[in-house]
Amino acid sequence: MELGLYTFADVDPNAANKGADAKRRVDELLAEIRLADEVGLDVFGLGEHHRPDYMASSPATILAAAAVQTKNIRLTSAVSVLSSDDPVRVFQQYATVDLLSNGRTEMMVGRGSFIESFPLFGYDLEDYDLLFAEKLQLLMEIRENEVVNWEGQTRKPLQARGVYPRPLQDLLPLWIAIGGTPQSAARAGYLGLPLGLAIIGGEPHRFAPFFDLYRQSAAKAGVDPKQLKTSINVHGFIHDTTESAADIFYAPQAVVMDRIGRERGWGPTNRAQFDASRGPRGALFVGDPEAVAEKIVAMHGIFKNDRFLMQMAIGPMPHKELMRGIELFGTKVAPLVRKALTETASAA
């Protein structure tokens, strides 16, 4: 199982100098990606947002910088909001990052959990589903064919048009990311694309049917099971002790969840809810290396996932503590997880 991190590159939405705050965060972010590479993590993902509380509106640009500063870690969007972007440009950007990274780049696309990009780029929310379906179809055509012929309702047709550059990898990896929509899981299975499932609340085991639906849909479409890679994407934090991990992570997590909650009509969070969620059946992976490793292995027993991505850099998390968390993830948690899964596979 691949182990990695993802983030949206949070910044202070009320910063007096937003440019300076973004500069601080991009410098910290590149240091975090370099460290993740140095300690042997497998994947780093960067999400696209168009809000004052997130800096990464152009993940491919930042990943291009990371590509020339790292050696082994795979670099992916997490996610690219394909519905409000141009599939030609998305492919060109990530193909370029693939060249810079010597073949370590992936695309993870989705419809996004926020809607700011639709009016920003002139799209109608009434076309929400159609935009994603058609643009995903076009992106798949582009990754599979140098010269593209395509026609749909959401843009002018492409007739025998070449799309360049081509990536170093024969087929640039493309993942679908979903939140909690069964139809999206079924579509990913039907198309034979790897599936990333975000689990940021509730009891994770209740999400297992999404992967069941995904695999069933793939089987009905005659998809090769080898194509069916899955990932769970979660919130969490690792520190020297479980108590220090919880104390450091609670406030930044609460800031973000309360801000989003006010927009969506959720009730405010509290420490009791937080502590319950980091228990064995909860969605938060917060604790010392042994506790987090144990929970990752337990969840793998439920989901049989091929990848596990954790969002530690959330809200106003101190950079120093993030660096310690990344260090522990790579040097302590990852070896424990890999050893446990290897032993389980050997026993089986």
Side-chain angles (χ1 to χ4, degrees), residues 321-343:
E321 304 297 1
L322 282 173
M323 295 292 276
R324 180 58 176 161
I326 294 169
E327 179 185 3
L328 290 171
F329 194 7
T331 62
K332 300 292 185 182
V333 174
L336 289 171
V337 171
R338 289 165 182 154
K339 182 175 185 292
L341 295 183
T342 300
E343 291 175 347

Side-chain angles (χ1 to χ4, degrees), residues 295-333:
K295 193 167 184 178
I296 292 173
V297 172
M299 291 301 156
H300 181 268
I302 296 172
F303 291 99
K304 302 296 186 288
N305 47 306
D306 304 282
R307 177 177 287 182
F308 173 89
L309 298 184
M310 180 187 293
Q311 184 181 4
M312 290 200 288
I314 181 170
M317 276 291 291
H319 175 61
K320 176 182 176 182
E321 304 297 1
L322 282 173
M323 295 292 276
R324 180 58 176 161
I326 294 169
E327 179 185 3
L328 290 171
F329 194 7
T331 62
K332 300 292 185 182
V333 174

Side-chain angles (χ1 to χ4, degrees), residues 62-83:
I62 300 170
L63 293 177
V68 297
Q69 298 181 29
T70 55
K71 296 180 180 179
N72 299 305
I73 198 165
R74 297 193 67 78
L75 303 168
T76 182
S77 54
V79 301
S80 294
V81 185
L82 187 62
S83 307

Side-chain angles (χ1 to χ4, degrees), residues 96-170:
T96 302
V97 180
D98 197 56
L99 299 175
L100 290 168
S101 67
N102 197 31
R104 292 184 283 119
T105 301
E106 300 177 359
M107 300 177 289
M108 183 185 295
V109 301
R111 293 183 291 184
S113 58
F114 298 101
I115 60 172
E116 286 82 2
S117 63
F118 288 82
L120 185 64
F121 295 112
Y123 291 100
D124 193 330
L125 276 172
E126 291 185 0
D127 299 327
Y128 186 82
D129 292 318
L130 177 63
L131 284 165
F132 184 72
E134 284 204 350
K135 291 189 176 190
L136 177 59
Q137 181 191 50
L138 176 54
L139 183 60
M140 293 179 67
E141 287 287 334
I142 294 169
R143 72 191 279 264
E144 294 169 6
N145 301 286
E146 177 181 338
V147 178
V148 178
N149 290 283
W150 181 88
E151 185 173 350
Q153 302 177 50
T154 56
R155 60 162 291 162
K156 291 184 178 180
L158 291 177
Q159 297 178 344
R161 291 292 179 179
V163 179
Y164 306 102
R166 305 309 294 180
L168 181 61
Q169 298 176 82
D170 289 338

